Structure formats: structure tokens, C-alpha cells
Amino acid sequence: MVGLSEGEKEFIKGGIAQDLRSDGRKRYTYRPIYVETGVIPQANGSARVRLGATDVIASVKAELGKPSALQPDKGKVAIFIDCSPTADPTFVGRGGEELSAELSGALQHCLLGSKSGAGAGIDLSSLIVVEGKVCWDLYVDGLVISSDGNLLDALGAAIKAALSNTGIPSVHVAAGASNDEQPEVDISDEEFLQFDTSGVPVIVTLTKVGKHYIVDATSEEESQMSSAVSISINRKGHICGMTKRGGSGIDPSVILDMISVANFVSRQLIEKLDSEISAAEANEDESL
Amino acid sequence: MRNLQLSLNQTQKIRLQSALEKLESLSSKSNANSVVTVADSILIYEEGILKGHGTLDRKGELVATVCGVVERINKLIYVRSLRSRYKPETGDIVIGRVMEVAQKRWKLELNFTQDATLMLSSMNLPDGIQRRQTAVDELNMRSIFTENDLVCAEVRSSHNDGSLQLQARNQKYGKLEKGQLLTVNPYLVKRRKLHFHHLEQYGINLIIGCNGFIWVGEHVEVTDKMAVDQANDSEQQIGKCDQNSMDIDGPDGTFTPLKTRQNICRIANAVRVLSALGFSITMEVIMETVNFSKTMNLDIHEMLGSEFYVLVAESEAERRSATKRKR
């Protein structure tokens, strides 16, 4: 990240205060989103999302596993994010670990709910094969290729697109297995069940600069932020998770205002994202 | 033209493709035979040829070491590469970011292989009088330019080892504030007579640096420090205090006025579109693009949408074919 001179910083802050950012966007406008699905053929589902110069890839791999004893009727989902050195030279080796851990944690909170699995944005009970014995484990991996701010939103969108692109193979369970043994399962190569992603939330990050908040900050704007709140909202307008970063404190009334702004913005974002995802899937079908 | 990250629908893709093909067919074909890639051999028919940049003598054969066009001037044969880092020449106007404040000099980052040097002696001293520099001046260097400042300067000389010396002795060079910096590929900026553009009707300064850094900002009146200083000394101090506390409550007066800001953003977006499409950046093209977007009543941020890209490509193809027909 190159540094910014004082004059440039003033210009950015002034732009946000006057509702006209450096690239002409208003405070609540997103950059053009570009979605591509099926970029990794070996994975069960994958997607690449470009938000301006921010570029991320998400992939979903499904494997059969045993459900945890505490929730025998739910499958498991694990989310891991990796920051590639192509995004920033400081990410070489272990440099990107802090950011990766932060992003993974935030995404897990937003999409997976609490440790007990309650309140997850992704419907975990649809992943069960045989209750108590066999379930699907989804491993969601995200890779940050290029970073120009707003990584959390891009990763949230990529995961949503990858999940809608995911095909879980249908499983035939051998009949007549006793209660104690592991049942035999036959994974078909042909039939796939599309994962239901209508309940998957999107993440909207609001970055506070001065007195105003903006949506979809570039990395220059993020360098001027005092704090940022990321809210994941689903189609019904319910909040599925929230994270706050940044050292300065925010008044509770400001947080409530940010939530209502995020609600308003998320409706347009969900529509746009859904149309982009279906366009991407249509493109993928054509090219196949 | 590479990696255009836009979701173009089918018709837009076709239109863009046809516009780009039209532009390619319009470009001069005379050099088609002399385009070489690395390790292509260059045919020479005479003796006593001087082998210039980008060539290598391998077992008596002349071979190209870069991808580019073979050029010939009398007895000198060299390969001119098309896409490369900035190649400085004396007298170029460049914009650089201060990376380091060293002994009696500043080191600027210019999108070049090394950091360029701006000596303290190549700068006008802040009080404007021509005098010898003292040790106090050296200690106060940071008050002139500090780290991460943007500086506009002129190339004074480039040495054999590649190091670059800059000078900023003129009033129009110096620190850049109140605007934004855009980075484009250096080969898109051709050398012209004029790189400083003061757009009077908008009150905006547009500086097209030869190293690919382009500055769009509000026009700041260049005052004669000597005359102003004595009169406004106390006023200035009050002004500075106001500025520091104005951060949050900024009245529009201290921020850039909205109209100017809109024009700055429009021009910046025009440059972004042109650089993504790979067109040369000149004043005329930028202003044409801006006027085009205004006549279409496009929102400023829609200039970065796919429709506008396609339209700009098409209009450029039209313009070039029109100029070709006139010849």
C-alpha cells in the first residue's frame, strides 16, 4: 500500500463529506461487481468475484464425514481464508496470517452463527445424510488475489456465489445397516443436488470516515477510516452477524443508524448479486 | 485492453470487439514486417552496422533481446520496445512521491527502476530569496517536503548508472495538494510541448507526468511568497489553527467546492477509462471523453461502467477513421 500525502488525505475526506468520492461514487454506491462461477473445475463449487480492483476466489469442497456428537442432525462447514502474496508484498510467508485469521473469523461469525450451530446463515441440516452417522462436511476456502479494500464484502459475495454453484453428489445409503455400524454409502458421480442459497446472507461493510460512513471503501479510503462495521444481512432483512474493527469507539445511536443504512444497501446488493450470479451460471453453461 | 474486468453482456462484447478490430486495422501497417520478439533474428544486408539497444550479436547473427519494432537510423539498428518502464529524458515533467528524506536531498519514487533524487539545491528555498543554504535549511527539509508528499519536478539529468536527478526551480513545480493522483502505464503518455494544463473553465490543474503519474487537482494560486509573507504573517497563523480543527466540522469553504470536485472526478474517471482501454492519454482525448460523458448526462460513477467503455472505444475508432479519411 503506497502512502498518501496530506493533501490527498484531505481530498479523500472532503469527498466523503461532500458525498462525492474519488471515483465519482456516492457514499452508498458499490463498485461494479463482476462474478464468474465454476472457475475451479475440481471443486464442488467455486466462484471468482471482482469488486473494482479487489479480486477474490472462493471454492467449496464437500467430503463425507461424521457429524459432531452435540449436533447429530447438522452437517459441518469450515471457512478458511488465505491472502496470497500477489495481493500485497507484505503477505509473503507468514505476513498475511493476521489478516487471514481476522477475515476467517469474521466470515465464520457472519455466516455460521454460534458454536452450537444455532442461527447459521447456511442451512446445516440440509447437509445431513444419515442422522448421527454420516453428513457432508463443506470446506469453504477463500483466496485473496488482489486487494483494493472491502475484502469482507467481496469474500462474502464470492462464498455466496460458490455455494450457489456447488453441486453435492447424491448419496445412496445401503439399506439394512444396524444401528452401531457405519452404513455404506454410495456416492453417485452423475446426480447432483444444488445447494440452496436463498438463505445465505451478504455482508455489507460500512466504513466510518469523519462523521460519515461509506459503503465499499477502496484501500485508500480504508486508510483514513476511524472504524468499520461489517453486518451480514439475509434476504428477509434480518441480521445474521456483525463485526466491528478499528480502534475508535462508536456511539450506540450511530451503530443503530449504520444498521438501518446497511439494511437499505443490502437489498440492492442482494438483487445485484443474484442477477450477476445467474448471469455467470448462464455463461458457464454456455461455455461448457 | 488486457484484463478488462467488466461484465459485458453479449451485445456489448460484440460492439467492443468490432471497435477494437477497427482500430487495429487503422493502425499503420508499414511496420508489420519489422515487429520482432525475443530471439528473433534481425536481417541485415550491410557491413558496419552499429548494434543498438535491444540487440545482441550471437554467432555473427543479430538477434533481438526484447519484443518490439526494429528501428533504423543511418547505421544504427535498435529495437524499440513498446511496453516498458518509464524511460526518462532530460526535460521531462514527472510527478513523484517522496520516499525518503536524506542528507541534502529527497528521494522520489517515480515508477522507474530506481528512486530519483531531488537535491535541496535544486529547489527554491521557502522564503523565495536566492541565498546560500545553511545547516538550518538542511534541518528544515521536512517542512518543505515530508514523506509521502507528491512533488512535481523536471528531469535535470540521467546518469550512466541509471540514476536520475530532478529539479524544481520553477514556481509551477513543487508540492501537489487538493486533488488525486492516477497511475497509468508510462507508454501511454507521449511527449508533448505542454504537460501542465490549467483548465480555466473548471479551475482545475491537470498535470500529465511522463512517468505515467497523472495529477488532477484544484487550481491553487501561486503567490509570490515575499510580498505576501510580511502582510499576512499573523493572519496565516490564525488560518492554520482553523484548518486543524476543521476536520470534522469542515465548512465547504475549506474543502474543495462541489462543482470543482465533480469535474475533478469526471476527468479522473476519463483517464481511468482511457488507460484501461490502452489509448494514449493527451489533453484533447481526455476533454473529448469528458464532454462526451456530459452530453450523455452520465452519472460520474457510471463512467466506469461497461456501457461507457464500449462507447469510448467506438467513438475513438470513429475519430481515427475520420482523420484517416481526411488525409
Side-chain angles (χ1 to χ4, degrees), chain A residues 47-200:
Chain A
R48 177 179 188 178
V49 165
R50 274 181 270 224
L51 200 59
T54 302
D55 200 347
V56 299
I57 293 188
S59 79
V60 177
K61 232 154 146 39
E63 282 174 11
L64 282 177
K66 199 160 186 290
S68 88
L70 299 168
Q71 288 118 42
D73 61 340
K74 290 195 157 70
K76 303 198 289 284
V77 178
I79 303 183
F80 293 111
I81 307 293
D82 185 33
C83 296
S84 151
T86 55
D88 195 289
T90 55
F91 291 160
V92 168
R94 307 198 62 176
E97 262 181 38
E98 203 187 303
L99 183 60
S100 309
E102 192 192 314
L103 290 170
S104 313
L107 283 164
Q108 274 163 0
H109 278 129
C110 287
L111 296 173
L112 295 181
S114 67
K115 282 217 166 89
S116 69
I122 304 176
D123 183 17
L124 295 174
S125 21
S126 64
L127 294 173
I128 205 72
V129 178
V130 175
E131 187 157 327
K133 300 221 181 64
V134 184
C135 73
W136 281 111
D137 286 342
L138 288 187
Y139 294 102
V140 180
D141 288 295
L143 179 66
V144 174
I145 303 178
S146 146
S147 159
D148 189 24
N150 210 16
L151 287 174
L152 212 47
D153 292 16
L155 283 166
I159 291 180
K160 187 173 162 90
L163 284 171
S164 48
N165 183 242
T166 304
I168 306 210
S170 46
V171 184
H172 299 292
V173 186
S178 81
N179 272 347
D180 292 335
E181 290 170 10
Q182 261 319 84
E184 290 180 22
V185 286
D186 175 33
I187 307 179
S188 95
D189 279 336
E190 301 297 315
E191 298 154 30
F192 286 93
L193 299 166
Q194 289 300 117
F195 198 70
D196 175 28
T197 53
S198 54
V200 177

Side-chain angles (χ1 to χ4, degrees), chain A residues 3-8 10-11 13-15 17-18 20-25 29 32-34 50 52 211 276, chain B residues 5-7 97 148-150 178-181 246-248 252 255-256 258 261-262 264-265 269 272 300-301 304:
Chain A
L4 289 173
S5 70
E6 283 308 314
E8 285 173 291
E10 282 306 312
F11 189 76
K13 286 191 217 165
Q18 292 178 324
L20 184 64
R21 290 146 78 175
S22 297
D23 50 0
R25 286 185 287 152
T29 314
I33 306 180
Y34 183 55
R50 274 181 270 224
K211 272 202 310 191
E276 288 290 323
Chain B
Q5 307 135 353
L6 300 163
S7 43
R97 201 183 277 282
N148 286 329
D149 270 348
L150 280 174
K178 297 199 186 184
Q180 50 176 319
L181 181 77
M246 65 136 226
D247 218 326
I248 301 181
D252 271 352
F255 284 145
T256 322
L258 191 56
R261 192 179 280 280
Q262 283 173 342
I264 292 180
C265 291
N269 277 351
R272 287 187 183 111
I300 304 179
H301 76 271
L304 294 176

Side-chain angles (χ1 to χ4, degrees), chain A residues 23 30-33 272, chain B residues 4-8 12 269 272-273 277 298-312:
Chain A
D23 50 0
Y30 264 88
R31 285 173 280 187
I33 306 180
K272 181 96 199 330
Chain B
L4 263 188
Q5 307 135 353
L6 300 163
S7 43
L8 302 165
Q12 284 173 335
N269 277 351
R272 287 187 183 111
V273 172
L277 287 170
L298 274 179
D299 247 352
I300 304 179
H301 76 271
E302 281 176 21
M303 285 173 75
L304 294 176
S306 30
E307 182 62 29
F308 192 62
Y309 273 92
V310 180
L311 286 168
V312 168

Side-chain angles (χ1 to χ4, degrees), chain B residues 158-171:
Chain B
S158 66
H159 295 261
N160 287 344
D161 57 359
S163 64
L164 208 54
Q165 293 266 353
L166 302 176
Q167 59 110 334
R169 273 211 171 277
N170 216 323
Q171 284 285 19

Side-chain angles (χ1 to χ4, degrees), chain B residues 228-245:
Chain B
V228 169
D229 248 344
Q230 284 142 6
N232 297 344
D233 230 328
S234 52
E235 276 186 46
Q236 264 185 14
Q237 290 195 358
I238 303 176
K240 274 198 191 132
C241 289
D242 271 346
Q243 265 215 332
N244 283 335
S245 64

